[in-house]
Amino acid sequence: MKILVLYSGELGKKVIQNLINPGNFCVSCGELCNHCRQARKSYANLIVGIHEFPQDLPTFIEDPEQYMPQKLPECDLILAIGIHPDLLIALPDVVKKTKAKAVIAPSEDSKKTPAGVLEQLKKELEAIGVEFEGPKPFCALEKTGKPVIDAFVDLGFGKPVLRIEMSPDGKMFIGAGVLRDAPCGSTWFVAKKLGWTDTVEYKETISGAHHSYPCTASMDKDPQLGDTILHKAGYIIREAVEDAMECAKKEKARLSAVCGDEISSSSF
């Protein structure tokens, strides 16, 4: 897969760094860092181009072409992150030039990335046979049967999926592993913060870690969600942890049925 990243703002920077996974990307743990991300593969070789648009563009852009880079590489997937609405509308032309097969344009702020613009872009791209997803927020992205976008999710980016280990009595998290990361990279930080904390306080632990990473989603109420996109992102990671906790409990019950009381001395 060849990925072209067109972005403006902090989220785009985080996504690029998460794809590349350099040693200095996540510094949220400070001196307590145990380099938990080192085992995760870097996908720097998949990125064929990166272009950052300035954040101080005019409110209305009559000629998007003048702001587009002159040379763009051929690619399979375009990640259009936080870019000006008028530049989003111009993406079908970029798709034709780059021969892209898919576009992901996440919405972290409904004022900067209006739903109407995303809907128009979706119609235009799908009309020419190009896959499109506009997840709100980016960490809501799931597999939908679209081959290129699903392949991106299969790399390990999208709606978070974790593996949880709990103490035998279920009162403490021993640790957590990341099976699928939020595109911004926050899932690793949340997983790290869960270790050796009380399970009854999981909501507070998750919320604190998610906010301090920090999440870059908007705090303004989104008319489609009826809530802020930041809160939506928080609910997504909380549900991911809850799903992992439930899986851990089911696995313990399954092993208990097979091994009997011997399993009580093991952790899950």
Side-chain angles (χ1 to χ4, degrees), residues 91-112:
L91 280 183
D93 291 333
V94 175
V95 164
K96 293 174 183 176
K97 292 178 180 178
T98 60
K99 300 180 181 179
K101 303 178 182 69
V103 173
I104 300 175
S107 176
E108 301 283 313
D109 187 331
S110 55
K111 293 180 180 178
K112 295 180 179 179

Side-chain angles (χ1 to χ4, degrees), residues 78-81 88 91 103-107 113 118 121 132-135:
I78 295 175
L79 300 181
I81 306 171
L88 277 176
L91 280 183
V103 173
I104 300 175
S107 176
T113 312
L118 291 178
L121 180 60
F132 177 80
E133 284 294 330

Side-chain angles (χ1 to χ4, degrees), residues 33-80:
C33 177
N34 65 354
H35 307 286
C36 64
R37 295 175 55 96
Q38 283 188 345
R40 211 219 72 192
K41 184 177 180 180
S42 169
Y43 294 103
N45 62 309
L46 301 184
I47 301 175
V48 295
I50 296 172
H51 182 78
E52 180 181 10
F53 294 98
Q55 298 187 59
D56 58 350
L57 293 175
T59 303
F60 300 103
I61 298 177
E62 295 184 5
D63 182 16
E65 184 67 26
Q66 67 176 311
Y67 293 98
M68 290 293 183
Q70 294 300 307
K71 293 184 179 181
L72 288 170
E74 290 189 8
C75 63
D76 300 305
L77 172 65
I78 295 175
L79 300 181

Side-chain angles (χ1 to χ4, degrees), residues 3-243:
I3 301 173
L4 170 63
V5 185
L6 306 175
Y7 80 98
S8 179
E10 190 62 28
L11 176 62
K13 294 177 183 178
K14 285 180 177 288
V15 172
I16 292 167
Q17 290 295 294
N18 196 25
L19 286 168
I20 296 172
N21 196 31
N24 62 348
F25 165 47
C26 179
V27 296
S28 299
C29 292
E31 294 181 355
L32 298 178
C33 177
N34 65 354
H35 307 286
C36 64
R37 295 175 55 96
Q38 283 188 345
R40 211 219 72 192
K41 184 177 180 180
S42 169
Y43 294 103
N45 62 309
L46 301 184
I47 301 175
V48 295
I50 296 172
H51 182 78
E52 180 181 10
F53 294 98
Q55 298 187 59
D56 58 350
L57 293 175
T59 303
F60 300 103
I61 298 177
E62 295 184 5
D63 182 16
E65 184 67 26
Q66 67 176 311
Y67 293 98
M68 290 293 183
Q70 294 300 307
K71 293 184 179 181
L72 288 170
E74 290 189 8
C75 63
D76 300 305
L77 172 65
I78 295 175
L79 300 181
I81 306 171
I83 68 176
H84 193 288
D86 292 333
L87 298 180
L88 277 176
I89 291 297
L91 280 183
D93 291 333
V94 175
V95 164
K96 293 174 183 176
K97 292 178 180 178
T98 60
K99 300 180 181 179
K101 303 178 182 69
V103 173
I104 300 175
S107 176
E108 301 283 313
D109 187 331
S110 55
K111 293 180 180 178
K112 295 180 179 179
T113 312
V117 170
L118 291 178
E119 186 60 31
Q120 180 180 340
L121 180 60
K122 174 183 171 70
K123 290 180 180 179
E124 292 187 17
L125 290 176
E126 291 184 346
I128 58 175
V130 176
E131 300 172 20
F132 177 80
E133 284 294 330
K136 183 189 295 186
F138 205 168
C139 54
L141 180 68
E142 297 186 84
K143 294 175 70 171
T144 59
K146 299 171 183 176
V148 177
I149 294 177
D150 284 0
F152 177 76
V153 177
D154 283 338
L155 292 177
F157 304 104
K159 191 173 183 179
V161 179
L162 297 98
R163 180 184 64 254
I164 294 289
E165 292 182 73
M166 294 188 289
S167 59
D169 59 9
K171 293 182 178 181
M172 179 174 286
F173 293 109
I174 294 176
V178 178
L179 303 180
R180 184 193 297 151
D181 191 10
C184 68
S186 63
T187 313
W188 286 86
F189 183 58
V190 173
K192 171 72 180 300
K193 290 300 183 182
L194 282 172
W196 304 108
T197 62
D198 294 333
T199 55
V200 294
E201 297 177 354
Y202 77 94
K203 291 182 181 179
E204 291 80 5
T205 303
I206 294 167
S207 178
H210 184 252
H211 280 272
S212 62
Y213 178 67
C215 178
T216 58
S218 172
M219 275 293 291
D220 294 330
K221 187 174 181 179
D222 180 85
Q224 286 187 318
L225 297 177
D227 200 344
T228 71
I229 302 178
L230 176 66
H231 287 165
K232 176 63 175 178
Y235 302 148
I236 288 172
I237 183 59
R238 183 198 298 175
E239 290 169 4
V241 172
E242 290 172 342
D243 288 345

